[in-house]
């Protein structure tokens, strides 16, 4: 009879798991999992981002990977005490593999594993130089011809890409490329980050002037350096830009500005890429082994074409080209779209005394910022969460530990609370004619983001302008342009001096098509989405984000991006995969994603 304490019950399951793994008994290990269970692995056993379901899925994964990765030594994390609530025991755990160390989160139901998250944190013998392993910096003593830190940095910057080749090239120097570049720098992986802008952070500075982060600060830290305690809750775009520029310097990134990739190709014989770069007018050819597209989910603008655009006498811009409202006071502006950018742009134009009409093409999910922070994020990312001992790292792991297959079940009650709390607000929007939705299954913003990356607005004030009629509302799609107007498919004519197409962005494999080839883009397939068979996320079920932060069907090609939270958290796993390959560590991939959609 097992001891009744939660800790001993938890350790008993871990001991059984250790014994089964050590003995190579796949059936015994799988038998520790509940009939309805999930094991999410972040490269520790699978060298992939992979979720397996139920004992059968666990058995299949272990039968392929156990001999290669040799997992074991599963323990309750030191200083942590498992907790039981509602019949579920939650425990922080640590473990090892043959080549690395990791931690994770386990949930038990009836002393069987319900959910298990295993995440590799470091490679044995290749640990980051941090904490007790931090570098000395100064070399005490006296010797002739000493090389200073500044001289070494200048030498590295001058020779990498010319006299020596980087192991990894990252295309795109926004928060994703910068976060990954910092991880790789700390792991000793020679890396160059390429960006076409004049300065790091210009990706943010160049956007419309009212743009700010809609996610709160606790959610948005970069690796290694957290924002200071006096940083604003919602960061203005130019302040984000300045932080990113500072970060690239402090983290000593090899960051090439004014560098645009003209072409990239892969040589299967050598296993290396040829990357042709225009570096501020200089033609440079790089030959990295690994190529990462960190061009961003919001990087490749979806710029539709309509009849009559060439006859329009006004200005047509994609939302990514819109600089702000200053030139449009007293002018008529039509904004096509009703998601985040469309709302932000409409509000800023209204403030500048433009006559603004928003054209809603399909229903939109809206959640008020204060409500989202309180109900949706407060338990993990807030001052209160920190006071409760939930660090950013723990919050990331808790969020990652919820399998995508059942995550919506946890989200639906939260959004039900939001809908109830802000009932008058939503009634006002509906009275104004705004078409609302809560996702196909009522699971709200996070699932919409994970499934399709669009279809929502975090309200920071624009919704009230729609409720009050200050921003006018129309519905439908564009049929054609006339010299001074946009005409919708129902015949509605909207006079305009400026038309802003807030029509979103295409799949990241569009960048692969442009920079490499359509054949490679099709070989990789669609990037982003879960295969949930919901709107704009066609099945079959994938179980993880398509092609993000993990091996793809194109050898040595990777995709990295997402919001600041994802850039921070998942950059670790991508960096460890690249480091392992550089060091010649065996990385047998389990469950390489199949291609079900080309774009």
């Amino acid at each position: 009879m097992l001891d009744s304490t939660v800790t001993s019950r938890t350790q008993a399951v871990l001991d059984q798991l250790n014994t089964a793994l050590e003995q190579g008994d796949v059936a015994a290990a799988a038998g520790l999992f509940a009939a309805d269970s999930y094991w999410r692995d972040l490269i520790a056993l699978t060298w992939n981002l992979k979720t397996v379901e139920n004992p059968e899925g666990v058995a299949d994964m272990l039968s392929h990977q156990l001999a290669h990765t040799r997992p074991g030594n599963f323990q309750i994390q030191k200083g942590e005490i498992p907790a039981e609530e509602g019949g579920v025991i939650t425990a922080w755990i640590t473990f090892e593999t043959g080549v690395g160390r990791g931690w994770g989160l386990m949930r038990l139901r009836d002393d069987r594993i319900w959910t298990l998250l295993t995440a590799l944190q470091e490679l044995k013998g290749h640990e980051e130089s941090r904490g007790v392993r931090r570098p000395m910096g100064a070399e005490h003593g006296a010797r002739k011809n000493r090389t200073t830190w500044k001289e070494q940095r200048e030498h590295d910057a001058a020779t990498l890409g010319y006299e020596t080749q980087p192991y990894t090239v990252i295309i795109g120097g926004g928060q994703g490329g910068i976060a990954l570049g910092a991880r790789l720098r700390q792991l000793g992986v020679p890396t160059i980050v390429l960006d076409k802008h004049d300065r790091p952070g210009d990706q943010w500075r160049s956007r419309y002037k009212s743009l700010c982060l809609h996610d709160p600060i606790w959610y948005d830290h970069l690796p290694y350096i957290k924002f200071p305690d006096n940083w604003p809750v919602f960061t203005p775009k130019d302040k984000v830009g300045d932080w990113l520029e500072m970060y690239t310097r402090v983290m000593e990134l090899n960051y090439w500005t004014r560098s645009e990739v003209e072409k990239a190709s892969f040589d299967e014989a050598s296993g290396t890429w040829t990357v042709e770069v225009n570096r501020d007018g200089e033609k440079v050819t790089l030959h990295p082994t690994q190529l990462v597209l960190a061009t961003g989910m919001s990087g490749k603008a979806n710029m539709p074409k309509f009849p009559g655009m060439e006859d329009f006498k006004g200005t047509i811009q994609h939302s990514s080209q819109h600089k702000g409202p200053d030139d449009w006071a007293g002018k008529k502006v039509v904004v096509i779209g009703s998601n985040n950018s469309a709302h932000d742009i409409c509000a800023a134009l209204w403030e500048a005394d433009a006559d603004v009409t928003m054209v809603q093409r399909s229903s939109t999910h809206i959640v008020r910022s204060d409500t989202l922070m309180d109900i949706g994020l407060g338990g993990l990312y807030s001052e209160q969460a920190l006071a409760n001992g939930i660090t950013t790292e723990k919050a990331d792991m808790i969020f990652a530990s919820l399998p995508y297959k059942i995550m919506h079940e946890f989200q639906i009650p939260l959004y039900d609370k939001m809908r109830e709390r802000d009932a008058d607000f939503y009634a006002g929007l509906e009275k104004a004619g705004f078409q609302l939705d809560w996702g196909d299954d009522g699971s709200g913003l996070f699932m919409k983001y994970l499934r399709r990356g669009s279809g929502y607005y975090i309200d920071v004030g624009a919704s009230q302008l729609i409720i009050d009629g200050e921003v006018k509302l129309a519905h439908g799609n564009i049929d054609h342009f006339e010299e001074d107007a946009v005409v919708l498919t129902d015949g509605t004519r909207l006079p305009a001096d400026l038309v802003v197409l807030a029509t979103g962005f295409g799949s990241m494999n569009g960048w692969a098509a442009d920079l490499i080839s359509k054949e490679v883009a099709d070989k990789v397939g669609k990037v982003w989405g879960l295969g949930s068979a919901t709107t704009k996320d066609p099945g079959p079920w994938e179980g993880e984000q398509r092609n993000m932060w993990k091996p793809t069907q194109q050898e040595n090609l990777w995709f990295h991006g997402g919001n600041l939270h994802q850039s921070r958290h998942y950059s670790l796993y991508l960096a460890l995969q690249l480091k392992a390959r550089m060091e010649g560590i065996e990385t047998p991939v389990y469950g390489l994603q199949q291609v079900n959609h080309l774009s």
Side-chain angles (χ1 to χ4, degrees):
M1 183 81 179
L2 290 176
D3 191 300
S4 61
T5 66
V6 171
T7 298
S8 62
R9 289 164 58 196
T10 302
Q11 190 59 55
V13 173
L14 295 175
D15 289 343
Q16 293 176 70
L17 180 60
N18 287 328
T19 299
L21 295 174
E22 185 177 353
Q23 295 177 350
D25 192 339
V26 169
L32 297 172
F33 285 75
D36 180 17
S37 57
Y38 306 86
W39 186 341
R40 187 179 191 215
D41 181 65
L42 304 181
I43 77 169
L45 280 80
T46 60
W47 289 108
N48 198 355
L49 274 62
K50 183 69 176 177
T51 301
V52 295
E53 300 179 15
N54 309 329
E56 296 77 14
V58 171
D60 186 74
M61 185 268 284
L62 289 177
S63 66
H64 284 86
Q65 300 298 106
L66 184 55
H68 296 293
T69 53
R70 306 191 309 279
N73 196 25
F74 281 81
Q75 301 289 335
I76 298 170
Q77 187 174 10
K78 290 181 180 178
E80 297 290 344
I81 301 175
E84 183 171 17
E85 182 178 355
V88 176
I89 295 174
T90 301
W92 290 100
I93 61 169
T94 59
F95 66 94
E96 295 185 22
T97 69
V99 300
R101 303 179 189 90
W103 73 320
L105 193 64
M106 180 176 71
R107 296 182 182 90
L108 302 177
R109 277 181 172 171
D110 299 323
D111 296 328
R112 286 287 180 268
I113 299 172
W114 174 37
T115 72
L116 177 61
L117 171 69
T118 49
L120 191 67
Q121 295 297 297
E122 61 183 7
L123 298 168
K124 295 175 180 177
H126 304 287
E127 296 84 357
E128 293 186 13
S129 299
R130 56 192 301 194
V132 297
R133 293 186 295 270
R134 71 172 70 236
M136 288 296 293
E139 295 183 20
H140 297 304
R143 63 181 176 85
K144 295 183 182 296
N145 301 316
R146 181 195 299 269
T147 300
T148 66
W149 169 85
K150 181 175 183 291
E151 290 167 339
Q152 186 62 50
R153 283 291 300 134
E154 289 174 344
H155 175 268
D156 292 346
T159 57
L160 187 62
Y162 296 92
E163 297 175 20
T164 60
Q165 285 299 315
Y167 181 75
T168 301
V169 162
I170 301 171
I171 302 178
Q175 68 263 15
I178 286 173
L180 179 59
R183 298 278 195 189
L184 292 171
R185 175 75 178 172
Q186 297 308 301
L187 287 168
V189 179
T191 301
I192 294 175
V193 182
L194 303 174
D195 195 84
K196 65 183 180 181
H197 294 89
D198 291 339
R199 296 160 55 197
D202 277 354
Q203 306 86 348
W204 288 88
R205 296 187 189 97
S206 61
R207 298 294 301 278
Y208 55 90
K209 72 177 188 178
S210 63
L211 177 65
C212 68
L213 293 178
H214 285 201
D215 300 319
I217 186 63
W218 307 278
Y219 187 74
D220 288 337
H221 296 297
L222 290 177
Y224 308 112
I225 306 176
K226 289 184 169 64
F227 293 106
D229 290 345
N230 64 348
W231 202 262
V233 174
F234 300 107
T235 310
K237 70 178 183 74
D238 295 286
K239 197 171 180 66
V240 177
D242 290 346
W243 182 263
L244 293 177
E245 185 171 24
M246 176 280 298
Y247 188 91
T248 62
R249 290 182 176 274
V250 173
M251 297 306 296
E252 303 178 11
L253 303 192
N254 296 303
Y255 190 103
W256 287 14
T257 57
R258 295 187 292 276
S259 297
E260 193 159 4
V261 175
E262 297 180 335
K263 189 67 178 174
S265 59
F266 185 67
D267 183 346
E268 292 188 10
S270 66
T272 60
W273 291 89
T274 296
V275 183
E276 300 173 15
V277 183
N278 182 337
R279 188 184 187 190
D280 199 18
E282 176 190 9
K283 301 294 184 180
V284 182
T285 301
L286 301 174
H287 295 285
T289 300
Q290 308 290 345
L291 184 64
V292 180
L293 298 187
T295 46
M297 279 188 61
S298 300
K300 189 168 181 59
N302 179 22
M303 191 73 172
K305 301 293 184 183
F306 298 101
M309 291 179 82
E310 66 279 1
D311 300 322
F312 183 63
K313 301 301 185 183
T315 300
I316 302 172
Q317 300 173 334
H318 188 267
S319 59
S320 60
Q321 301 166 322
H322 182 69
K323 302 302 182 186
D326 294 348
D327 296 332
W328 305 104
K331 304 290 187 178
K332 293 184 180 295
V333 182
V334 174
V335 178
I336 308 297
S338 56
N339 294 336
N340 267 335
S341 293
H343 278 83
D344 286 348
I345 291 168
C346 284
L349 287 164
W350 175 85
E351 289 178 347
D353 294 323
D355 181 344
V356 188
T357 299
M358 174 188 288
V359 178
Q360 187 178 28
R361 299 175 297 160
S362 59
S363 63
T364 307
H365 171 57
I366 293 183
V367 58
R368 297 181 67 194
S369 177
D370 290 348
T371 303
L372 178 65
M373 286 180 60
D374 183 17
I375 298 175
L377 290 171
L380 294 180
Y381 300 97
S382 66
E383 289 296 329
Q384 186 59 50
L386 288 173
N388 292 336
I390 305 297
T391 63
T392 301
E393 293 75 19
K394 276 191 170 183
D396 289 348
M397 292 289 281
I398 292 169
F399 194 76
S401 73
L402 291 176
Y404 290 130
K405 189 70 170 286
I406 59 174
M407 186 178 286
H408 66 284
E409 297 174 11
F410 292 82
Q411 294 292 308
I412 290 170
L414 299 179
Y415 285 88
D416 285 344
K417 289 181 182 178
M418 296 181 202
R419 181 163 28 193
E420 181 180 354
R421 172 167 157 170
D422 295 326
D424 291 344
F425 167 76
Y426 292 114
L429 277 170
E430 289 178 330
K431 184 177 179 180
F434 195 89
Q435 298 171 357
L436 293 166
D437 72 62
W438 292 81
D440 288 16
D441 53 6
S443 59
L445 186 148
F446 281 120
M447 296 312 301
K448 262 202 166 187
Y449 173 71
L450 293 168
R451 291 165 172 170
R452 55 183 279 193
S454 65
Y456 52 82
Y457 168 56
I458 301 174
D459 178 45
V460 292
S463 290
Q464 193 60 48
L465 296 177
I466 294 171
I467 291 171
D468 295 340
E470 299 291 335
V471 169
K472 290 175 281 190
L473 189 63
H475 295 94
N477 288 293
I478 296 176
D479 183 77
H480 66 277
F481 280 75
E482 296 180 352
E483 285 190 357
D484 60 348
V486 175
V487 180
L488 304 183
T489 52
D490 66 355
T492 300
R493 189 175 186 277
L494 302 174
D497 300 295
L498 167 68
V499 177
V500 179
L501 297 173
T503 46
F505 300 85
S507 172
M508 286 177 67
N509 75 336
W511 286 110
D514 289 351
L515 300 177
I516 307 170
S517 68
K518 183 179 184 301
E519 290 73 23
V520 167
D522 288 346
K523 185 177 181 181
V524 169
K526 182 179 176 66
V527 179
W528 203 262
L530 301 173
S532 62
T534 58
T535 303
K536 296 190 177 182
D537 184 30
W541 178 247
E542 306 278 3
E544 294 284 343
Q545 289 285 350
R546 295 185 189 95
N547 285 315
M548 293 297 296
W549 317 295
K550 60 183 180 180
T552 69
Q553 291 287 344
Q554 171 58 55
E555 183 182 358
N556 296 6
L557 178 64
W558 312 78
F559 292 86
H560 174 61
N563 57 31
L564 280 155
H565 155 258
Q566 291 169 312
S567 294
R568 171 187 68 247
H569 183 63
Y570 289 101
S571 59
L572 171 62
Y573 311 115
L574 178 48
L576 288 172
Q577 291 173 85
L578 297 173
K579 174 66 172 178
R581 284 163 172 77
M582 188 184 83
E583 298 297 342
I585 296 171
E586 187 180 7
T587 57
V589 176
Y590 173 77
L592 183 66
Q593 182 187 305
Q594 299 302 305
V595 177
N596 296 304
H597 308 282
L598 298 184
S599 63

